[in-house]
PDB file of all heavy atoms in Angstrom:
ATOM      1  N   ALA A 228     -11.717  30.076  19.191  1.00  0.00           N
ATOM      2  CA  ALA A 228     -10.949  29.792  20.354  1.00  0.00           C
ATOM      3  C   ALA A 228     -11.646  29.022  21.419  1.00  0.00           C
ATOM      4  O   ALA A 228     -12.877  29.318  21.731  1.00  0.00           O
ATOM      5  CB  ALA A 228     -10.255  30.948  21.036  1.00  0.00           C
ATOM      6  N   ALA A 229     -11.035  27.916  21.933  1.00  0.00           N
ATOM      7  CA  ALA A 229     -11.716  27.227  23.037  1.00  0.00           C
ATOM      8  C   ALA A 229     -11.637  27.907  24.330  1.00  0.00           C
ATOM      9  O   ALA A 229     -10.694  28.905  24.495  1.00  0.00           O
ATOM     10  CB  ALA A 229     -11.077  25.885  23.103  1.00  0.00           C
ATOM     11  N   PRO A 230     -12.296  27.591  25.480  1.00  0.00           N
ATOM     12  CA  PRO A 230     -12.020  28.153  26.680  1.00  0.00           C
ATOM     13  C   PRO A 230     -10.495  28.163  27.093  1.00  0.00           C
ATOM     14  O   PRO A 230      -9.700  27.345  26.698  1.00  0.00           O
ATOM     15  CB  PRO A 230     -12.915  27.277  27.606  1.00  0.00           C
ATOM     16  CG  PRO A 230     -13.986  26.778  26.757  1.00  0.00           C
ATOM     17  CD  PRO A 230     -13.280  26.539  25.408  1.00  0.00           C
ATOM     18  N   ALA A 231     -10.309  29.087  27.899  1.00  0.00           N
ATOM     19  CA  ALA A 231      -8.765  29.228  28.216  1.00  0.00           C
ATOM     20  C   ALA A 231      -8.216  27.995  28.936  1.00  0.00           C
ATOM     21  O   ALA A 231      -7.065  27.805  28.891  1.00  0.00           O
ATOM     22  CB  ALA A 231      -8.634  30.434  29.173  1.00  0.00           C
ATOM     23  N   SER A 232      -9.068  27.352  29.608  1.00  0.00           N
ATOM     24  CA  SER A 232      -8.682  26.155  30.342  1.00  0.00           C
ATOM     25  C   SER A 232      -8.197  25.062  29.314  1.00  0.00           C
ATOM     26  O   SER A 232      -7.557  24.014  29.746  1.00  0.00           O
ATOM     27  CB  SER A 232      -9.730  25.531  31.296  1.00  0.00           C
ATOM     28  OG  SER A 232     -10.935  25.263  30.534  1.00  0.00           O
ATOM     29  N   ALA A 233      -8.743  25.099  28.124  1.00  0.00           N
ATOM     30  CA  ALA A 233      -8.434  23.922  27.065  1.00  0.00           C
ATOM     31  C   ALA A 233      -7.125  24.011  26.602  1.00  0.00           C
ATOM     32  O   ALA A 233      -6.540  25.145  26.363  1.00  0.00           O
ATOM     33  CB  ALA A 233      -9.499  24.049  25.999  1.00  0.00           C
ATOM     34  N   PRO A 234      -6.441  22.887  26.260  1.00  0.00           N
ATOM     35  CA  PRO A 234      -4.994  22.987  25.934  1.00  0.00           C
ATOM     36  C   PRO A 234      -4.936  23.500  24.470  1.00  0.00           C
ATOM     37  O   PRO A 234      -5.755  23.120  23.762  1.00  0.00           O
ATOM     38  CB  PRO A 234      -4.580  21.491  25.996  1.00  0.00           C
ATOM     39  CG  PRO A 234      -5.806  20.745  25.971  1.00  0.00           C
ATOM     40  CD  PRO A 234      -6.803  21.557  26.637  1.00  0.00           C
ATOM     41  N   ALA A 235      -3.980  24.397  24.107  1.00  0.00           N
ATOM     42  CA  ALA A 235      -3.751  24.881  22.714  1.00  0.00           C
ATOM     43  C   ALA A 235      -3.241  23.889  21.826  1.00  0.00           C
ATOM     44  O   ALA A 235      -2.491  22.963  22.261  1.00  0.00           O
ATOM     45  CB  ALA A 235      -2.864  26.059  22.802  1.00  0.00           C
ATOM     46  N   ARG A 236      -3.820  23.778  20.617  1.00  0.00           N
ATOM     47  CA  ARG A 236      -3.221  22.980  19.559  1.00  0.00           C
ATOM     48  C   ARG A 236      -2.234  23.582  18.896  1.00  0.00           C
ATOM     49  O   ARG A 236      -2.438  24.661  18.131  1.00  0.00           O
ATOM     50  CB  ARG A 236      -4.452  22.496  18.618  1.00  0.00           C
ATOM     51  CG  ARG A 236      -5.575  21.649  19.436  1.00  0.00           C
ATOM     52  CD  ARG A 236      -6.654  21.496  18.343  1.00  0.00           C
ATOM     53  NE  ARG A 236      -6.236  20.535  17.354  1.00  0.00           N
ATOM     54  CZ  ARG A 236      -7.079  20.173  16.301  1.00  0.00           C
ATOM     55  NH1 ARG A 236      -8.213  20.624  16.260  1.00  0.00           N
ATOM     56  NH2 ARG A 236      -6.588  19.441  15.447  1.00  0.00           N
ATOM     57  N   PRO A 237      -1.071  23.023  18.739  1.00  0.00           N
ATOM     58  CA  PRO A 237       0.079  23.696  18.030  1.00  0.00           C
ATOM     59  C   PRO A 237      -0.122  23.770  16.609  1.00  0.00           C
ATOM     60  O   PRO A 237      -0.693  22.866  15.976  1.00  0.00           O
ATOM     61  CB  PRO A 237       1.362  22.857  18.575  1.00  0.00           C
ATOM     62  CG  PRO A 237       0.763  21.519  18.619  1.00  0.00           C
ATOM     63  CD  PRO A 237      -0.601  21.722  19.268  1.00  0.00           C
ATOM     64  N   VAL A 238       0.438  24.745  15.910  1.00  0.00           N
ATOM     65  CA  VAL A 238       0.453  24.832  14.522  1.00  0.00           C
ATOM     66  C   VAL A 238       1.706  24.145  13.933  1.00  0.00           C
ATOM     67  O   VAL A 238       2.807  24.475  14.296  1.00  0.00           O
ATOM     68  CB  VAL A 238       0.533  26.295  14.042  1.00  0.00           C
ATOM     69  CG1 VAL A 238       0.553  26.335  12.535  1.00  0.00           C
ATOM     70  CG2 VAL A 238      -0.736  27.089  14.428  1.00  0.00           C
ATOM     71  N   LEU A 239       1.376  23.161  13.124  1.00  0.00           N
ATOM     72  CA  LEU A 239       2.504  22.331  12.543  1.00  0.00           C
ATOM     73  C   LEU A 239       3.447  23.088  11.531  1.00  0.00           C
ATOM     74  O   LEU A 239       2.810  23.896  10.697  1.00  0.00           O
ATOM     75  CB  LEU A 239       1.981  21.015  11.949  1.00  0.00           C
ATOM     76  CG  LEU A 239       1.266  20.197  12.951  1.00  0.00           C
ATOM     77  CD1 LEU A 239       0.679  18.973  12.053  1.00  0.00           C
ATOM     78  CD2 LEU A 239       2.131  19.617  14.074  1.00  0.00           C
ATOM     79  N   PRO A 240       4.645  22.902  11.536  1.00  0.00           N
ATOM     80  CA  PRO A 240       5.423  23.674  10.520  1.00  0.00           C
ATOM     81  C   PRO A 240       5.199  23.022   9.112  1.00  0.00           C
ATOM     82  O   PRO A 240       4.658  21.942   9.052  1.00  0.00           O
ATOM     83  CB  PRO A 240       6.910  23.347  10.954  1.00  0.00           C
ATOM     84  CG  PRO A 240       6.725  21.971  11.746  1.00  0.00           C
ATOM     85  CD  PRO A 240       5.404  22.058  12.385  1.00  0.00           C
ATOM     86  N   ALA A 241       5.783  23.670   7.994  1.00  0.00           N
ATOM     87  CA  ALA A 241       5.576  23.306   6.770  1.00  0.00           C
ATOM     88  C   ALA A 241       6.252  21.987   6.446  1.00  0.00           C
ATOM     89  O   ALA A 241       7.391  21.750   6.988  1.00  0.00           O
ATOM     90  CB  ALA A 241       6.083  24.329   5.678  1.00  0.00           C
ATOM     91  N   ALA A 242       5.774  20.976   5.839  1.00  0.00           N
ATOM     92  CA  ALA A 242       6.344  19.771   5.532  1.00  0.00           C
ATOM     93  C   ALA A 242       7.592  19.796   4.633  1.00  0.00           C
ATOM     94  O   ALA A 242       7.493  20.477   3.552  1.00  0.00           O
ATOM     95  CB  ALA A 242       5.291  18.844   5.049  1.00  0.00           C
ATOM     96  N   GLY A 243       8.702  19.087   5.067  1.00  0.00           N
ATOM     97  CA  GLY A 243       9.841  18.975   4.161  1.00  0.00           C
ATOM     98  C   GLY A 243      10.625  20.260   3.788  1.00  0.00           C
ATOM     99  O   GLY A 243      10.925  20.521   2.632  1.00  0.00           O
ATOM    100  N   PRO A 244      10.732  21.247   4.602  1.00  0.00           N
ATOM    101  CA  PRO A 244      11.548  22.434   4.247  1.00  0.00           C
ATOM    102  C   PRO A 244      12.921  22.152   3.889  1.00  0.00           C
ATOM    103  O   PRO A 244      13.464  22.787   2.955  1.00  0.00           O
ATOM    104  CB  PRO A 244      11.497  23.388   5.447  1.00  0.00           C
ATOM    105  CG  PRO A 244      11.208  22.480   6.630  1.00  0.00           C
ATOM    106  CD  PRO A 244      10.330  21.259   6.091  1.00  0.00           C
ATOM    107  N   GLY A 245      13.547  21.110   4.557  1.00  0.00           N
ATOM    108  CA  GLY A 245      14.916  20.849   4.230  1.00  0.00           C
ATOM    109  C   GLY A 245      15.069  20.189   2.892  1.00  0.00           C
ATOM    110  O   GLY A 245      15.921  20.507   2.102  1.00  0.00           O
ATOM    111  N   ARG A 246      14.133  19.300   2.373  1.00  0.00           N
ATOM    112  CA  ARG A 246      14.183  18.756   1.107  1.00  0.00           C
ATOM    113  C   ARG A 246      14.024  19.914  -0.023  1.00  0.00           C
ATOM    114  O   ARG A 246      14.619  19.982  -1.095  1.00  0.00           O
ATOM    115  CB  ARG A 246      13.222  17.679   0.876  1.00  0.00           C
ATOM    116  CG  ARG A 246      13.605  16.452   1.565  1.00  0.00           C
ATOM    117  CD  ARG A 246      12.688  15.392   1.370  1.00  0.00           C
ATOM    118  NE  ARG A 246      12.949  14.050   1.866  1.00  0.00           N
ATOM    119  CZ  ARG A 246      13.729  13.133   1.297  1.00  0.00           C
ATOM    120  NH1 ARG A 246      14.183  13.389   0.071  1.00  0.00           N
ATOM    121  NH2 ARG A 246      14.049  12.002   1.957  1.00  0.00           N
ATOM    122  N   ARG A 247      13.079  20.837   0.264  1.00  0.00           N
ATOM    123  CA  ARG A 247      12.877  22.014  -0.626  1.00  0.00           C
ATOM    124  C   ARG A 247      14.105  22.830  -0.791  1.00  0.00           C
ATOM    125  O   ARG A 247      14.568  23.148  -1.937  1.00  0.00           O
ATOM    126  CB  ARG A 247      11.684  22.843  -0.190  1.00  0.00           C
ATOM    127  CG  ARG A 247      11.459  23.988  -1.168  1.00  0.00           C
ATOM    128  CD  ARG A 247       9.975  24.621  -0.809  1.00  0.00           C
ATOM    129  NE  ARG A 247       9.810  24.873   0.615  1.00  0.00           N
ATOM    130  CZ  ARG A 247       8.661  24.889   1.140  1.00  0.00           C
ATOM    131  NH1 ARG A 247       7.509  24.665   0.497  1.00  0.00           N
ATOM    132  NH2 ARG A 247       8.541  25.099   2.464  1.00  0.00           N
TER     133      ARG A 247
END
Side-chain angles (χ1 to χ4, degrees):
S232 59
R236 297 176 63 186
V238 177
L239 297 177
R246 288 183 175 272
R247 179 165 49 204

